[in-house]
Amino acid sequence: MKNYDVVTCGEPMVLFSPDSGGPLRHVPLFRKFAAGAELNFSVALARLGLRPGFITKVGQDEFGQYIQACMQAEGLDTSMVKTDAAHPTGVYFKEYSGLADPKVYYYRHGSAASNLSPIDIDPECLEGARLLHITGITPSLSDSCRQTYLQLLDMATARQIPVCFDPNIRLKLISAEDVKEFMKPFIARAHILILNQSELNYLFNTQKLTEALSRIFGFGVELVILKQGANGAVAMRKGKSEAVSCPPFRPTRVVDQVGAGDGFDAGFIYGYLQGWPLEKSLRLANLVGALATTVVGDYEGYPFFSDAMRVLDSY
Ligand code: KDG
């Protein structure tokens, strides 16, 4: 039995972050990191002390080796990482211009992970699991990735394992016109929906969570969390009229936001699985997400459990 606390599935990528700002054509030096939304999420969860299971595929190449070494360095289990000799590991670049930073450039089309298919799922992967965490990025990569997710959802339903869904809308992967319909089957299978302000707008045509609640709960969602970045976060439970909100954690330095949302999800899920009150789970979510913004890589800033606990109640 695998006995993961949480199972997730997605594409890990090598991230190249420029050492200087401006258009990438002028950048001579890059630093290399591992990244990818579901990998970031897994790292954050592992640092808090849970055991995530990460289903993925990397190329049979140097970058695939690198991703696996990074996973091992973070204490992640790599037994569900498949290698693919025919397709490469995906890569992405950040670019800092001083405007809406950073811009991202993907080199992931036809990557090993975008060729994930239902046969890549270990049939045992959900045995003993307490939650399945999925994001809208993976099904947007290819039809076989979408089928992989649908299969995982069927497996979770059969085992009565709750599902957390973060739409993680990436307009470089899916058009604004298609996104609403595309995400519906995943929202409809989720117990927990975690989304940000712009996703609320794309999916429910409103800036206000209260105006979307009846539609969200109508899908069968039981708990919805709105990430509000510098304004903190709000949670609403089906059947309760009061929202629970939590102020943001303000780190002493901010480099970029990428990775914050994945850390938030992990912090919230940690508290949720511990049975914490919503406000405390949101506090941890805000803290983990905020600390991601203090570093250049996506996940290096996530706190370890003892550091998180030291500041959790005092911010
Ligand atoms: O949430 C962080 C991700 O956006 C980043 O790691 C790259 O996975 C990525 C994506 O698809 O944007």
Side-chain angles (χ1 to χ4, degrees):
M1 187 141 107
K2 291 284 193 184
N3 263 328
Y4 299 117
D5 292 301
V6 178
V7 171
T8 189
C9 171
E11 174 161 37
M13 287 181 287
V14 174
L15 155 63
F16 286 99
S17 185
D19 264 2
S20 45
L24 291 189
R25 74 191 85 160
H26 300 302
V27 172
L29 289 173
F30 294 86
R31 267 180 286 168
K32 175 163 72 61
F33 300 89
E38 298 84 2
L39 171 62
N40 298 342
F41 169 84
S42 301
V43 170
L45 213 56
R47 286 190 179 189
L48 291 172
L50 291 186
R51 187 170 136 78
F54 183 37
I55 301 166
T56 192
K57 215 146 86 164
V58 293
Q60 215 170 73
D61 50 26
E62 285 298 320
F63 289 161
Q65 294 285 342
Y66 172 66
I67 298 281
Q68 291 182 79
C70 291
M71 286 181 65
Q72 281 155 2
E74 291 292 334
L76 295 175
D77 174 51
T78 53
S79 68
M80 297 200 295
V81 181
K82 289 198 173 178
T83 53
D84 180 340
H87 301 97
T89 304
V91 170
Y92 98 98
F93 290 80
K94 286 182 181 173
E95 178 184 78
Y96 296 96
S97 69
L99 295 170
D101 282 343
K103 251 190 188 167
V104 302
Y105 298 96
Y106 296 135
Y107 293 82
R108 67 196 307 186
H109 188 70
S111 66
S114 63
N115 276 284
L116 272 167
S117 75
I119 56 163
D120 294 315
I121 302 173
D122 180 335
E124 301 269 293
C125 69
L126 285 171
E127 300 308 331
R130 298 157 71 197
L131 189 118
L132 172 66
H133 177 72
I134 58 173
T135 89
I137 294 176
T138 308
S140 309
L141 296 176
S142 67
D143 192 56
S144 70
C145 283
R146 198 177 66 89
Q147 296 300 338
T148 307
Y149 258 29
L150 293 174
Q151 165 96 11
L152 271 172
L153 285 167
D154 286 346
M155 290 167 64
T157 305
R159 290 163 180 77
Q160 296 181 314
I161 293 170
V163 173
C164 175
F165 177 57
D166 181 337
N168 250 338
I169 296 174
R170 300 287 183 267
L171 293 177
K172 290 199 166 176
L173 299 175
I174 185 161
S175 73
E177 299 79 63
D178 294 343
V179 74
K180 204 165 161 183
E181 279 308 306
F182 187 85
M183 297 295 173
K184 272 185 184 167
F186 302 103
I187 300 173
R189 306 288 289 272
H191 299 81
I192 306 173
L193 175 67
I194 308 184
L195 75 182
N196 66 26
Q197 199 71 55
S198 86
E199 289 161 347
L200 183 70
N201 209 10
Y202 278 118
L203 299 173
F204 300 100
N205 302 98
T206 175
Q207 300 284 347
K208 292 195 180 140
L209 183 57
T210 46
E211 288 176 2
L213 279 178
S214 63
R215 279 174 288 158
I216 293 174
F217 292 141
F219 275 106
V221 171
E222 284 161 17
L223 179 59
V224 55
I225 316 294
L226 183 64
K227 309 186 234 197
Q228 298 175 302
N231 294 318
V234 179
M236 281 294 300
R237 214 186 261 287
K238 192 174 192 168
K240 300 265 188 222
S241 51
E242 289 291 295
V244 175
S245 62
C246 180
F249 176 80
R250 297 193 195 282
T252 50
R253 59 182 247 134
V254 173
V255 178
D256 82 48
Q257 315 286 338
V258 186
D262 312 319
F264 180 102
D265 294 359
F268 182 80
I269 294 300
Y270 180 90
Y272 176 83
L273 291 178
Q274 299 305 119
W276 286 0
L278 283 178
E279 202 268 342
K280 187 172 174 184
S281 302
L282 292 178
R283 275 188 102 72
L284 181 60
N286 284 339
L287 176 69
V288 179
L291 290 178
T293 69
T294 60
V295 295
V296 173
D298 282 15
Y299 67 65
E300 287 71 15
Y302 295 149
F304 289 87
F305 184 73
S306 55
D307 295 324
M309 290 309 111
R310 222 177 31 245
V311 290
L312 190 65
D313 295 324
S314 57
Y315 85 78

Short mmCIF file of all heavy atoms in Angstrom, two decimals, residues 99-143:
data_model
loop_
_atom_site.label_atom_id
_atom_site.label_comp_id
_atom_site.label_asym_id
_atom_site.label_seq_id
_atom_site.Cartn_x
_atom_site.Cartn_y
_atom_site.Cartn_z
N LEU A 99 7.43 45.33 -15.14
CA LEU A 99 5.98 45.52 -15.33
C LEU A 99 5.24 44.45 -14.53
O LEU A 99 5.49 44.29 -13.36
CB LEU A 99 5.64 45.48 -16.82
CG LEU A 99 6.26 46.65 -17.62
CD1 LEU A 99 6.12 46.43 -19.11
CD2 LEU A 99 5.63 47.96 -17.19
N ALA A 100 4.35 43.69 -15.16
CA ALA A 100 3.61 42.67 -14.40
C ALA A 100 4.51 41.43 -14.28
O ALA A 100 4.36 40.48 -15.02
CB ALA A 100 2.33 42.33 -15.12
N ASP A 101 5.43 41.46 -13.33
CA ASP A 101 6.48 40.43 -13.28
C ASP A 101 6.06 39.19 -12.56
O ASP A 101 5.26 39.25 -11.65
CB ASP A 101 7.70 41.00 -12.57
CG ASP A 101 8.49 41.90 -13.49
OD1 ASP A 101 8.28 41.81 -14.71
OD2 ASP A 101 9.31 42.65 -12.99
N PRO A 102 6.71 38.08 -12.84
CA PRO A 102 7.53 37.88 -14.04
C PRO A 102 6.65 37.39 -15.19
O PRO A 102 5.56 36.88 -14.98
CB PRO A 102 8.49 36.78 -13.60
CG PRO A 102 7.69 35.98 -12.62
CD PRO A 102 6.75 36.93 -11.94
N LYS A 103 7.18 37.54 -16.40
CA LYS A 103 6.56 36.89 -17.55
C LYS A 103 7.11 35.48 -17.58
O LYS A 103 8.26 35.27 -17.18
CB LYS A 103 7.03 37.58 -18.83
CG LYS A 103 6.00 38.41 -19.54
CD LYS A 103 6.60 38.78 -20.88
CE LYS A 103 5.74 39.77 -21.59
NZ LYS A 103 6.45 40.35 -22.72
N VAL A 104 6.32 34.52 -18.08
CA VAL A 104 6.88 33.17 -18.19
C VAL A 104 6.82 32.69 -19.64
O VAL A 104 5.89 33.04 -20.37
CB VAL A 104 6.18 32.15 -17.25
CG1 VAL A 104 6.26 32.59 -15.81
CG2 VAL A 104 4.73 31.92 -17.64
N TYR A 105 7.83 31.93 -20.01
CA TYR A 105 7.89 31.33 -21.35
C TYR A 105 8.03 29.83 -21.17
O TYR A 105 8.98 29.37 -20.53
CB TYR A 105 9.09 31.86 -22.14
CG TYR A 105 9.04 33.35 -22.37
CD1 TYR A 105 9.71 34.22 -21.52
CD2 TYR A 105 8.31 33.88 -23.42
CE1 TYR A 105 9.67 35.59 -21.72
CE2 TYR A 105 8.26 35.25 -23.64
CZ TYR A 105 8.93 36.10 -22.78
OH TYR A 105 8.88 37.46 -22.98
N TYR A 106 7.08 29.09 -21.73
CA TYR A 106 7.12 27.63 -21.60
C TYR A 106 7.79 26.98 -22.80
O TYR A 106 7.55 27.39 -23.94
CB TYR A 106 5.69 27.07 -21.58
CG TYR A 106 4.83 27.47 -20.41
CD1 TYR A 106 3.51 27.87 -20.63
CD2 TYR A 106 5.28 27.40 -19.10
CE1 TYR A 106 2.68 28.21 -19.58
CE2 TYR A 106 4.45 27.74 -18.05
CZ TYR A 106 3.15 28.15 -18.29
OH TYR A 106 2.33 28.49 -17.25
N TYR A 107 8.57 25.96 -22.55
CA TYR A 107 9.08 25.06 -23.59
C TYR A 107 8.68 23.66 -23.13
O TYR A 107 9.49 22.91 -22.62
CB TYR A 107 10.59 25.22 -23.76
CG TYR A 107 10.93 26.57 -24.33
CD1 TYR A 107 11.01 27.69 -23.49
CD2 TYR A 107 11.10 26.76 -25.69
CE1 TYR A 107 11.26 28.95 -24.01
CE2 TYR A 107 11.35 28.02 -26.23
CZ TYR A 107 11.43 29.10 -25.38
OH TYR A 107 11.67 30.35 -25.90
N ARG A 108 7.40 23.38 -23.26
CA ARG A 108 6.85 22.14 -22.69
C ARG A 108 5.96 21.40 -23.67
O ARG A 108 5.45 20.34 -23.35
CB ARG A 108 6.08 22.48 -21.41
CG ARG A 108 4.83 23.30 -21.67
CD ARG A 108 4.25 23.99 -20.44
NE ARG A 108 3.99 23.15 -19.32
CZ ARG A 108 3.38 23.56 -18.20
NH1 ARG A 108 2.97 24.83 -18.09
NH2 ARG A 108 3.18 22.74 -17.21
N HIS A 109 5.75 21.99 -24.86
CA HIS A 109 4.88 21.33 -25.82
C HIS A 109 5.49 19.99 -26.22
O HIS A 109 6.66 19.93 -26.59
CB HIS A 109 4.69 22.23 -27.04
CG HIS A 109 3.65 21.69 -27.98
ND1 HIS A 109 2.31 21.69 -27.66
CD2 HIS A 109 3.76 21.10 -29.18
CE1 HIS A 109 1.64 21.13 -28.65
NE2 HIS A 109 2.50 20.76 -29.58
N GLY A 110 4.73 18.91 -26.13
CA GLY A 110 5.26 17.59 -26.49
C GLY A 110 6.21 17.02 -25.44
O GLY A 110 6.95 16.07 -25.71
N SER A 111 6.18 17.59 -24.25
CA SER A 111 7.08 17.09 -23.18
C SER A 111 6.62 15.72 -22.68
O SER A 111 5.50 15.27 -22.98
CB SER A 111 7.06 18.08 -22.01
OG SER A 111 5.77 18.07 -21.44
N ALA A 112 7.51 15.11 -21.91
CA ALA A 112 7.18 13.79 -21.32
C ALA A 112 5.88 13.88 -20.51
O ALA A 112 4.98 13.04 -20.67
CB ALA A 112 8.34 13.32 -20.45
N ALA A 113 5.77 14.89 -19.65
CA ALA A 113 4.58 14.96 -18.79
C ALA A 113 3.33 15.29 -19.59
O ALA A 113 2.23 14.85 -19.22
CB ALA A 113 4.78 16.00 -17.69
N SER A 114 3.47 16.02 -20.68
CA SER A 114 2.24 16.31 -21.44
C SER A 114 1.79 15.06 -22.20
O SER A 114 0.70 15.04 -22.75
CB SER A 114 2.39 17.53 -22.35
OG SER A 114 3.38 17.29 -23.29
N ASN A 115 2.61 14.02 -22.19
CA ASN A 115 2.20 12.72 -22.74
C ASN A 115 1.72 11.75 -21.67
O ASN A 115 1.55 10.55 -21.95
CB ASN A 115 3.36 12.10 -23.52
CG ASN A 115 3.40 12.66 -24.94
OD1 ASN A 115 2.60 12.27 -25.78
ND2 ASN A 115 4.29 13.60 -25.18
N LEU A 116 1.53 12.24 -20.46
CA LEU A 116 0.96 11.37 -19.42
C LEU A 116 -0.37 10.81 -19.91
O LEU A 116 -1.14 11.53 -20.57
CB LEU A 116 0.68 12.17 -18.14
CG LEU A 116 1.78 12.31 -17.11
CD1 LEU A 116 1.39 13.41 -16.10
CD2 LEU A 116 2.06 11.00 -16.40
N SER A 117 -0.63 9.56 -19.60
CA SER A 117 -1.93 9.00 -19.98
C SER A 117 -2.39 8.06 -18.87
O SER A 117 -1.60 7.73 -17.96
CB SER A 117 -1.83 8.28 -21.32
OG SER A 117 -1.19 7.06 -21.15
N PRO A 118 -3.66 7.64 -18.89
CA PRO A 118 -4.18 6.84 -17.77
C PRO A 118 -3.31 5.62 -17.46
O PRO A 118 -3.24 5.21 -16.30
CB PRO A 118 -5.58 6.46 -18.25
CG PRO A 118 -5.98 7.60 -19.13
CD PRO A 118 -4.72 8.02 -19.85
N ILE A 119 -2.61 5.06 -18.45
CA ILE A 119 -1.80 3.87 -18.13
C ILE A 119 -0.60 4.21 -17.24
O ILE A 119 0.04 3.32 -16.69
CB ILE A 119 -1.27 3.12 -19.39
CG1 ILE A 119 -0.49 4.08 -20.29
CG2 ILE A 119 -2.37 2.40 -20.15
CD1 ILE A 119 0.38 3.33 -21.28
N ASP A 120 -0.31 5.50 -17.09
CA ASP A 120 0.80 5.89 -16.22
C ASP A 120 0.40 5.96 -14.75
O ASP A 120 1.24 6.20 -13.88
CB ASP A 120 1.35 7.26 -16.65
CG ASP A 120 1.98 7.19 -18.02
OD1 ASP A 120 2.74 6.24 -18.26
OD2 ASP A 120 1.68 8.07 -18.87
N ILE A 121 -0.89 5.77 -14.47
CA ILE A 121 -1.34 5.84 -13.07
C ILE A 121 -1.14 4.49 -12.41
O ILE A 121 -1.65 3.46 -12.88
CB ILE A 121 -2.83 6.22 -12.98
CG1 ILE A 121 -3.09 7.55 -13.67
CG2 ILE A 121 -3.28 6.28 -11.53
CD1 ILE A 121 -4.57 7.90 -13.76
N ASP A 122 -0.42 4.49 -11.31
CA ASP A 122 -0.27 3.28 -10.50
C ASP A 122 -1.63 2.98 -9.87
O ASP A 122 -2.18 3.82 -9.14
CB ASP A 122 0.79 3.56 -9.42
CG ASP A 122 1.04 2.38 -8.52
OD1 ASP A 122 0.14 1.53 -8.37
OD2 ASP A 122 2.14 2.32 -7.94
N PRO A 123 -2.21 1.80 -10.14
CA PRO A 123 -3.56 1.51 -9.62
C PRO A 123 -3.63 1.55 -8.08
O PRO A 123 -4.70 1.72 -7.50
CB PRO A 123 -3.87 0.10 -10.13
CG PRO A 123 -2.72 -0.33 -10.96
CD PRO A 123 -1.66 0.73 -10.96
N GLU A 124 -2.47 1.44 -7.45
CA GLU A 124 -2.43 1.46 -5.97
C GLU A 124 -2.29 2.86 -5.39
O GLU A 124 -2.29 3.02 -4.17
CB GLU A 124 -1.18 0.69 -5.50
CG GLU A 124 -1.09 -0.73 -5.94
CD GLU A 124 -1.73 -1.63 -4.91
OE1 GLU A 124 -1.17 -1.71 -3.81
OE2 GLU A 124 -2.80 -2.19 -5.19
N CYS A 125 -2.12 3.86 -6.27
CA CYS A 125 -1.64 5.16 -5.77
C CYS A 125 -2.55 5.79 -4.71
O CYS A 125 -2.07 6.52 -3.85
CB CYS A 125 -1.39 6.13 -6.92
SG CYS A 125 -2.89 6.68 -7.75
N LEU A 126 -3.83 5.51 -4.78
CA LEU A 126 -4.73 6.18 -3.82
C LEU A 126 -5.04 5.33 -2.59
O LEU A 126 -5.79 5.78 -1.72
CB LEU A 126 -6.04 6.56 -4.53
CG LEU A 126 -5.95 7.78 -5.48
CD1 LEU A 126 -7.23 7.93 -6.28
CD2 LEU A 126 -5.68 9.06 -4.71
N GLU A 127 -4.45 4.13 -2.54
CA GLU A 127 -4.74 3.28 -1.37
C GLU A 127 -4.20 3.96 -0.11
O GLU A 127 -3.01 4.25 -0.02
CB GLU A 127 -4.12 1.88 -1.52
CG GLU A 127 -4.61 1.10 -2.73
CD GLU A 127 -6.15 1.01 -2.84
OE1 GLU A 127 -6.82 1.04 -1.80
OE2 GLU A 127 -6.64 0.93 -3.98
N GLY A 128 -5.07 4.24 0.82
CA GLY A 128 -4.65 4.88 2.08
C GLY A 128 -4.57 6.39 2.00
O GLY A 128 -4.29 7.05 3.00
N ALA A 129 -4.81 6.97 0.81
CA ALA A 129 -4.69 8.43 0.67
C ALA A 129 -5.89 9.13 1.32
O ALA A 129 -6.99 8.60 1.38
CB ALA A 129 -4.60 8.83 -0.79
N ARG A 130 -5.63 10.35 1.77
CA ARG A 130 -6.70 11.11 2.44
C ARG A 130 -7.27 12.20 1.55
O ARG A 130 -8.29 12.77 1.83
CB ARG A 130 -6.15 11.73 3.73
CG ARG A 130 -5.69 10.62 4.70
CD ARG A 130 -4.69 11.16 5.68
NE ARG A 130 -5.31 12.05 6.63
CZ ARG A 130 -4.63 12.90 7.39
NH1 ARG A 130 -3.32 12.99 7.31
NH2 ARG A 130 -5.28 13.67 8.24
N LEU A 131 -6.57 12.48 0.45
CA LEU A 131 -7.05 13.55 -0.44
C LEU A 131 -6.34 13.45 -1.80
O LEU A 131 -5.17 13.06 -1.87
CB LEU A 131 -6.72 14.91 0.20
CG LEU A 131 -7.34 16.12 -0.48
CD1 LEU A 131 -8.28 16.84 0.49
CD2 LEU A 131 -6.30 17.11 -0.94
N LEU A 132 -7.07 13.81 -2.84
CA LEU A 132 -6.48 13.95 -4.18
C LEU A 132 -6.47 15.44 -4.50
O LEU A 132 -7.51 16.10 -4.42
CB LEU A 132 -7.33 13.21 -5.21
CG LEU A 132 -6.97 13.42 -6.69
CD1 LEU A 132 -5.60 12.83 -7.01
CD2 LEU A 132 -8.03 12.79 -7.60
N HIS A 133 -5.30 15.96 -4.85
CA HIS A 133 -5.20 17.38 -5.20
C HIS A 133 -4.90 17.51 -6.69
O HIS A 133 -3.90 16.96 -7.17
CB HIS A 133 -4.08 18.05 -4.39
CG HIS A 133 -3.87 19.49 -4.75
ND1 HIS A 133 -4.77 20.48 -4.40
CD2 HIS A 133 -2.89 20.12 -5.45
CE1 HIS A 133 -4.33 21.65 -4.85
NE2 HIS A 133 -3.20 21.45 -5.50
N ILE A 134 -5.75 18.25 -7.40
CA ILE A 134 -5.54 18.41 -8.84
C ILE A 134 -5.61 19.90 -9.19
O ILE A 134 -6.21 20.69 -8.46
CB ILE A 134 -6.57 17.61 -9.66
CG1 ILE A 134 -8.01 18.03 -9.30
CG2 ILE A 134 -6.39 16.10 -9.45
CD1 ILE A 134 -9.06 17.41 -10.18
N THR A 135 -4.98 20.25 -10.31
CA THR A 135 -5.05 21.65 -10.74
C THR A 135 -5.46 21.70 -12.21
O THR A 135 -5.34 20.71 -12.94
CB THR A 135 -3.70 22.41 -10.57
OG1 THR A 135 -2.92 22.25 -11.76
CG2 THR A 135 -2.92 21.97 -9.35
N GLY A 136 -5.89 22.88 -12.64
CA GLY A 136 -6.33 23.04 -14.02
C GLY A 136 -5.19 23.05 -15.03
O GLY A 136 -5.43 23.02 -16.24
N ILE A 137 -3.95 23.12 -14.55
CA ILE A 137 -2.82 23.16 -15.50
C ILE A 137 -2.71 21.83 -16.24
O ILE A 137 -2.65 21.80 -17.48
CB ILE A 137 -1.49 23.46 -14.77
CG1 ILE A 137 -1.51 24.88 -14.20
CG2 ILE A 137 -0.30 23.28 -15.73
CD1 ILE A 137 -0.28 25.25 -13.38
N THR A 138 -2.69 20.74 -15.50
CA THR A 138 -2.40 19.44 -16.11
C THR A 138 -3.40 19.05 -17.20
O THR A 138 -2.97 18.72 -18.31
CB THR A 138 -2.28 18.37 -15.01
OG1 THR A 138 -1.35 18.85 -14.04
CG2 THR A 138 -1.80 17.04 -15.55
N PRO A 139 -4.71 19.13 -16.95
CA PRO A 139 -5.61 18.75 -18.05
C PRO A 139 -5.53 19.70 -19.24
O PRO A 139 -5.92 19.33 -20.35
CB PRO A 139 -7.00 18.79 -17.41
CG PRO A 139 -6.86 19.64 -16.20
CD PRO A 139 -5.45 19.48 -15.72
N SER A 140 -5.00 20.92 -19.02
CA SER A 140 -4.86 21.86 -20.14
C SER A 140 -3.68 21.50 -21.04
O SER A 140 -3.53 22.07 -22.12
CB SER A 140 -4.64 23.29 -19.63
OG SER A 140 -5.60 23.66 -18.68
N LEU A 141 -2.84 20.57 -20.59
CA LEU A 141 -1.62 20.27 -21.37
C LEU A 141 -1.91 19.44 -22.61
O LEU A 141 -1.27 19.61 -23.64
CB LEU A 141 -0.60 19.52 -20.50
CG LEU A 141 -0.04 20.30 -19.31
CD1 LEU A 141 0.88 19.41 -18.48
CD2 LEU A 141 0.72 21.54 -19.80
N SER A 142 -2.85 18.51 -22.50
CA SER A 142 -3.14 17.62 -23.64
C SER A 142 -4.38 16.81 -23.32
O SER A 142 -4.79 16.71 -22.14
CB SER A 142 -1.98 16.64 -23.87
OG SER A 142 -1.90 15.73 -22.78
N ASP A 143 -4.95 16.18 -24.33
CA ASP A 143 -6.13 15.36 -24.06
C ASP A 143 -5.76 14.15 -23.21
O ASP A 143 -6.54 13.72 -22.35
CB ASP A 143 -6.82 14.94 -25.35
CG ASP A 143 -8.18 14.37 -25.02
OD1 ASP A 143 -8.96 15.08 -24.36
OD2 ASP A 143 -8.44 13.19 -25.34
#
